[in-house]
Amino acid sequence: MLQELVFLAQAEDYGFWSSTISTLRGVGLAVSGVGLMISILIKGAAGTNGDRHALAARVAEGVFAGLFVVLLGWFIYERMIEWTPL
């Protein structure tokens, strides 16, 4: 009986957590896109203000760090699923 529950939990691509993982992945990618656009807008509106250029660079750095974490987490989770025998 326990084996059947485990099999049903892993029936989809990511098993029981499929909808949660897909949602988190989509939110992470969307937020990084919005953050990148905000960074571009700050940079475009900065003109000759050096502080705003530095702010745009910090925002872009944070966005790319977050995107890296999202993509790395996605990659690591997929490898864990592949390596773990059923």
Side-chain angles (χ1 to χ4, degrees), residues 11-72:
E12 292 184 37
D13 194 21
Y14 293 113
F16 177 75
W17 300 102
S18 181
S19 61
T20 304
I21 290 171
S22 296
T23 302
L24 289 175
R25 182 179 56 196
V27 167
L29 293 176
V31 167
S32 66
V34 170
L36 185 59
M37 290 304 298
I38 289 171
S39 173
I40 291 170
L41 290 173
I42 293 171
K43 187 79 166 172
T48 59
N49 190 342
D51 291 335
R52 287 192 181 170
H53 283 287
L55 174 64
R58 284 195 310 266
V59 170
E61 181 180 318
V63 166
F64 286 120
L67 181 62
F68 178 75
V69 168
V70 168
L71 294 178
L72 184 65

